[in-house]
Amino acid sequence: IESGKLVARTIKNGEIQLLNIRDLIESLTITELQNYNLGLGSASTRTPKQKIIANQYTKQIISQLTGGIITVDGSINEKGKEQGGWGGFGGLVHFGNNLSETFRGKIQTNDPQMAELGGIEKALQIISNNQSLKNWTILCDCKNAVSYANKTYNLPYKYADIVQSIHELQTSIKRQGTLLKIIWIPGHTDNKWNDKADEL
């Protein structure tokens, strides 16, 4: 922290520079943002040490949660790109006791982040229709999708419609007196909930 602001130290042309974290994040490309992920890397680039730390981080996050938990994941069908693209999403709904259920859906897109957002939207619809629990957490392994849902990244126009739907659902849920969090967790860290969502 420098002068009351969170900053990042970066090296450019051999000199150390200080950048406001927000400015740094907004200057990164989508690929760089995906690799930013709290220093834990992306699922495809993690070192063995990062995998261990990511697994510990995920376990710690989950151990602190109470109430209902929904883990979501999304992906695209590479073979369907030439037909306009098809993606899918899946999720595991844990009701805070031993009860759980799964869901999955299809979405026309060739963009994996759109599929991830589809999973978040579906999770919010499930929460909106469930009045028995007043404390919910959605876990998603796509940092960008979580950041768009939480309004912490600038939103690309192509996601405007689905993210608007997500924000409207969040507002409606919170008006019902429900506590709601959408949290990023690193994917593919041998976490059974994330693995199940990925399988779905």
Side-chain angles (χ1 to χ4, degrees):
I1 296 177
E2 302 276 346
S3 302
K5 291 185 178 180
L6 191 62
V7 298
R9 283 184 168 82
T10 61
I11 297 176
K12 187 173 183 180
N13 299 327
E15 293 184 16
I16 294 177
Q17 296 184 341
L18 299 180
L19 285 177
N20 182 295
I21 285 286
R22 179 71 186 192
D23 293 338
L24 174 64
I25 289 172
E26 290 184 357
S27 73
L28 298 176
T29 65
I30 292 294
T31 301
E32 288 170 326
L33 283 170
Q34 288 170 332
N35 291 333
Y36 186 69
N37 294 351
L38 304 181
L40 300 176
S42 65
S44 60
T45 63
R46 274 190 203 108
T47 65
K49 184 175 180 181
Q50 282 179 315
K51 286 179 183 177
I52 292 169
I53 296 170
N55 182 270
Q56 292 170 342
Y57 173 84
T58 304
K59 285 180 179 176
Q60 183 178 358
I61 290 289
I62 291 174
S63 72
Q64 296 172 356
L65 298 178
T66 59
I69 302 167
I70 304 181
T71 309
V72 300
D73 200 11
S75 63
I76 58 169
N77 181 350
E78 292 289 336
K79 295 178 183 176
K81 278 189 175 180
E82 60 276 3
Q83 285 90 33
W86 282 99
F89 53 81
L92 177 66
V93 185
H94 184 72
F95 291 99
N97 48 36
N98 292 327
L99 291 175
S100 63
E101 64 182 39
T102 61
F103 66 87
R104 64 175 118 193
K106 192 175 181 182
I107 184 169
Q108 187 163 14
T109 184
N110 57 12
D111 182 338
Q113 289 183 140
M114 186 70 80
E116 299 275 7
L117 288 165
I120 292 174
E121 181 183 37
K122 179 63 177 177
L124 289 167
Q125 290 167 351
I126 290 169
I127 293 169
S128 182
N129 293 326
N130 184 301
Q131 297 298 310
S132 62
L133 284 175
K134 292 296 184 180
N135 184 5
W136 283 95
T137 304
I138 298 172
L139 302 173
C140 177
D141 67 6
C142 178
K143 180 71 169 164
N144 291 346
V146 170
S147 296
Y148 297 147
N150 289 330
K151 301 183 182 180
T152 54
Y153 282 178
N154 288 339
L155 180 67
Y157 178 74
K158 62 182 175 177
Y159 304 129
D161 288 345
I162 193 166
V163 172
Q164 181 178 346
S165 173
I166 285 169
H167 291 164
E168 288 172 357
L169 283 163
Q170 285 175 287
T171 300
S172 174
I173 289 165
K174 289 175 182 177
R175 281 184 183 151
Q176 295 169 6
T178 300
L179 296 174
L180 175 66
K181 296 182 294 242
I182 303 176
I183 299 175
W184 173 78
I185 58 169
H188 308 285
T189 59
D190 297 323
N191 173 269
K192 63 181 180 181
W193 290 358
N194 178 252
D195 289 347
K196 181 63 176 176
D198 179 56
E199 176 189 331
L200 288 162

